[in-house]
């Protein structure tokens, strides 16, 4: 007698076909109107959110995050906190303004750069190589530079296996990276990978006040 394994991650809500079509930009996924919430956790992070609002980059941060949620996270309301989360002014050495996580992985981080912003995206290297392989020496630097406003605004670092980081300077280049088809598809594919791995390990740091702005509308 065999028992079927219960689906994990996004597979509980979306079929492989739905995920594939969303990745390719061929469909919009129906989300729920309701959001589950922990009032205790909401109140815990209000002081950090109020501190964020006093930063000169605050409005730009919230606008970029809203676009990120709309474009890069599948069914963000249904999966909020349990399968992705956003931390506000997390206490790490790089002193970010906000960080989006899923499973055990950082997805997207916004950091101060004077009065402007810089971003860090963690992605699959194979989405930016000339042949789709995870080989660092096959990186297509030209295509990477086409995803930002100025070539000097982008840099990268290698991590492990098929994972690398992209650093983008300036809100104009961050916005362009999020909107460029190749950049957007790479972000979506990496997010699907980690949201399918199971529950988010960073639920305790989720800031509902930031998420309100990401999910409004």
């Amino acid at each position: 007698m065999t028992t079927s394994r219960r689906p994990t991650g996004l597979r509980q809500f979306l079929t492989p076909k739905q995920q594939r079509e969303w990745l390719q930009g061929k469909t919009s996924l129906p989300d729920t109107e309701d959001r589950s919430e922990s009032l205790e956790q909401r109140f815990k992070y209000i002081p950090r959110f109020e501190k964020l609002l006093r930063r000169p980059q605050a409005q730009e941060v919230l606008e970029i995050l809203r676009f990120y949620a709309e474009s890069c996270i599948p069914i963000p309301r249904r999966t909020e906190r349990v399968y992705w989360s956003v931390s506000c002014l997390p206490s790490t050495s790089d002193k970010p303004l906000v960080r989006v996580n899923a499973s055990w992985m950082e997805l997207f981080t916004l950091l101060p750069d004077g009065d402007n912003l810089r971003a860090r995206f963690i992605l699959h290297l194979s989405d930016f190589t000339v042949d789709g392989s995870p080989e660092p020496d096959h990186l297509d630097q030209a295509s990477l530079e086409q995803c930002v406003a100025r070539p000097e605004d982008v840099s990268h670092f290698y991590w492990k296996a098929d994972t690398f980081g992209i650093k983008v300077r300036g809100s104009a280049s961050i916005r362009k990276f999020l909107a460029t088809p190749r950049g957007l598809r790479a972000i979506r594919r990496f997010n699907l990978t980690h949201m399918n791995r199971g529950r988010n390990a960073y639920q305790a740091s989720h800031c509902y006040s930031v998420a309100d702005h990401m999910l409004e509308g």
Side-chain angles (χ1 to χ4, degrees), residues 64-73 107-108 178 187 191:
I64 288 173
L65 281 176
R66 182 177 180 183
F67 184 82
Y68 185 89
E70 290 175 347
S71 303
C72 305
I73 301 177
L107 303 178
F108 176 55
L178 288 165
I187 295 167
N191 291 2

Side-chain angles (χ1 to χ4, degrees), residues 1 19 28 32 53 66 78-79 81 92 98 111 115 123 125 128 151 168 175 183 193 195 198 208-210:
M1 180 178 176
Q19 293 188 41
S28 296
T32 182
L53 292 180
R66 182 177 180 183
R78 183 173 294 182
T79 55
R81 187 185 177 197
T92 53
V98 291
L111 306 102
D115 286 347
L123 302 171
L125 173 60
F128 285 96
V168 180
R175 287 176 178 272
T193 295
M195 290 179 73
Y208 284 101
S209 298
V210 174

